[in-house]
Amino acid sequence: MSTLSCPPERLSRRGYPLLVFGAVRFGVLGPLRVERDGEPLALGGPRQRDLLTLLVLRANRVVSAEWLVDALWDGRPPAGAHITLRSYVAVLRRALEPERGRRAPAELLRGHTGGYELSAPPDTVDAVRFTALAGHGARALADGEWEAAERHFADALALWRGGLATDLAAVRPDAARLSEARAEAGEGRFTAAVAAGRHQAVLPDLRQFVAAHPERENARAQLMLALYRAGRQTDALAVYDEGRRLLADEHGVEPGEALRDLHRRVLAHTVPPVGGKAGAATRTRGPGRTTGPGRGAGGPHATLVGRTAELSLLTDLLAASGRDGGRFAAIVGEAGIGKTTLADALARRAADAGVPVAWGRCPDLGQAPPFWLWTQVVRALAPAGDAGADPALAGFGTGPATGADIDPTARFRTYDAVSALVHATARDRGLVLVLDDLHAADADSLLLLRYLATTVRTSRALVVATLRPYEHDPALVAALADLARSPGCRQLRPAGLDADAVADLVRGHTGAPAPADLVRDLLTRTGGNPFFITELLTSAEPTGAPPPSVRDTVRRRLHALDDRTRDWLDVLSVAGRDLDVDLLEAATAAEVRLTPHVAHLVAEPGAGVVRFRHPLFAEAAYADLAPTRRADLHARLADVGRHVLTPAELAHHYGRARGREDEHLRWTLEAADDATRRLAYEDALAHLDRAAALLTAPERELAVQLHRTSLLQITVGIGSDAVDLAAARARELLARVDPGADVRHALWTLGELACNRAEFAIAADLAGRLASDDGVIGAAGHYLLGVVGYFTGRLVEADRHLTAAIDRLRELDPRELVGRAGRTPTLATYDFRALVRSLLGDAAAARSDLAAAHALAERADDPYGRANATLFAAWTAVQEHDVAAALAAARRCREIGRRQHMPHFVTTGDFYAEWAAVRGGDDSRLTAMRAAREGVHRLGLRATRTISLGAMADAYLVTGHHADAAALADEGLALAEEVGERVFAAELHRVRGLATGDPADLAAGARLAEAQGADLVRARFPR
């Protein structure tokens, strides 16, 4: 007999089929499991199981097909996804209701207009039963009913069979909420057991729980109580000390007051006995247990419910930042859980105490301008009109950025300037810096935050970041890992409100006590998410139940508006961020009026500017747009905002419009240039990647690939695979361009890159095509040929080409060469000729060239050239084994590098300084010398590797470490043979021959030095 074909009269008052669901049960607290009469059902493939998981977690709510498609394919649904969804639903219906007739309506998995609903009584879903049982336990615990509380919590925990068995992004908030609730239930169970006097029975499990959740102060308090009541005072104190060290080392804070009070009681033997009030007294929310309201529809100052302990913790961090040095706090949680509301409450406390507060917000939708997060911060901290006072902060100004050069040191100067601004602002009264919705930050903003993590501890600033769960985002994982390593970092993970807090929230909205049924219903629907609760409460209609989801509530609000109001709200959702009212009205030809119905959705953060009150409002409004209308609105906003929106925003909007490919490409290229000028190199690379995929003309793509190559050398390192691929593509395009095209810049860029990557044959080929030209371009060709000659050991040829380059450059005004060190052969021609002439044995000529390079740098006031001159002076001294000169030049090189924020010169100076120390007889610096060499080549510089190996091998030889010297010489000679960098090959033979006593090695080295004309090295061989 089928249990699925029950007649209408057999339905319960809530519409659940009475016969069906007594036999069908759903389990998501572990691998998905659906049983009928205790037997598991076959549910199909992984995608069908994911679909059912989504529906079980939202049981008895209509879930739109649009949302399900988006969730199943993590925001990237394929063509025909809606048809595929319907096929999945059909598979699940056959599995769940195998005896249902072909024309009979589905009872379990019901279809609705635009969506689906899994209709299931609450007690058939393990996650719902768990929430209910845990709620019963929490209420019993609050009432002092220890045995009942422990029983309820134990029953709730017994439902768990593992974690949620899906990695869909849409499920992560549910997984985080349930995982936190599971930990709270475990903590509650132990609290009840200890209060009931069952401390001996639960002590082993309680130890394991604290080891797994070391940040939960209440659980640690229960372990201290259990140990103390078991007669183990010393162990109880050790548990406290362990927790205090963990908080100090990982978060830079002290334990909370409740834990400190219990510690004092244990020391003084004043812990209340079993049956006293200790259970209630020590029930405190630790740093890992945070609940409270989110940024609700009421605006930025929404009521804070259930956040007392968390706000106290943040207030303690604020005090510590002003007293002991800067601190970080990351508030991580699902959308609407109360992250921004908590940060805002702290900001208001700080402002009331006279502490400056600055906010930077990241839009969840749309394309933000480069460095948008920090642009807001800099504009807030710098006095009006002073944002550009420091040239390093010019990229954060409101106008177009200037300057087109790609400077490998400029980003560090900008990062340091922002850090200095934070320090200066915080110096007198402290500072609270709130970085809201950090999960939506651009890659460059995250890199700047990682830099700030290394400097903020010496300031008086408290940096508070709010973000959604980030474990799936590698860039955020890296950023938060850097923050966690800094002293004083603390992470809070808000969970849903408990029943008492929900009741308080309902009372605050209605002015009346909350009915128990309403509280349970809200908890079941929302998991205690305060924003969702607020929306369901404010959207409830007088004669019916609240809508089933927040998206539905927003959709209902939008559909109730008139067409003209809906039009400008749709454009606002397409914009994805704050918009000027004038721009909105121009895009819609409708007046922007904040009527009471609209004011719930939209706020005015400034005069003449509007935005959605919460990102979820914008997300819901955008998702409700039909694809065609969405594309049309993107185009309309871009057309009217061409002189207002940034190039990145225009590229974003035209890219989502229909038939606007030319504008998309144009603004994508402009966005890349703008981001480069603002030093947002990661953003620039993203735009360039998109442009390269759109281009078909070889000349235009060649320019893009050259741009990419220059940026990749800075961002991922000169020796990276990404640089190799970009350079190879550029050389391929170089062969396809029109014969009359001017490719000199490409030849120079690719030739210099090839030299740095020890690709000497490629460099020589490209340089040869430049050398026949006049002026700087011709000098560039001879310069590159001279560099190739030096590295490959053809010293006489190198001297000839470098001299030809110098002769051409003498005809130019030195002021024309300022800033060209990274793009054209300027001062480095003298520097490299100094190296060549030093090896040729003409030390005086080498000194003359180094002096000329230094003088030219001074006349041109070129800091890069000045640092380069000192670096080459040290390099020349290393060739000549002149320890004193190498040490003096290395110190100058490091000093200039630090002052000008040029880290390459600092790391290279470190190597030469350590080499000088070892070569001078201090073999205690051998390890430091090796580490410094690794620093020089960390970003993949392939040229000079045999030179640094030869210098180290000689230093090991001089200090008597012959085996190590021979091993380094072996490595250097193998590398020289592999890449053709043979300038130090004779020296490497000499070191190995002396280290091993091999006369054949010495003879081979002497012959090679003589063939190269390296009289300096030839003179070192025994005769």
Side-chain angles (χ1 to χ4, degrees), residues 731 734 746-748 750-751 754 761-771 781 784:
R731 291 196 298 270
L734 192 60
L747 293 170
W748 159 250
L750 295 173
I762 293 174
D765 175 62
L766 297 168
R769 297 170 62 181
L770 287 171
L784 288 176

Side-chain angles (χ1 to χ4, degrees), residues 932-949:
R933 179 189 180 267
E934 290 173 5
V936 172
H937 296 283
R938 185 172 293 123
L939 292 180
L941 179 66
R942 296 181 184 177
T944 74
R945 285 183 294 175
T946 64
I947 296 168
S948 57
L949 283 169

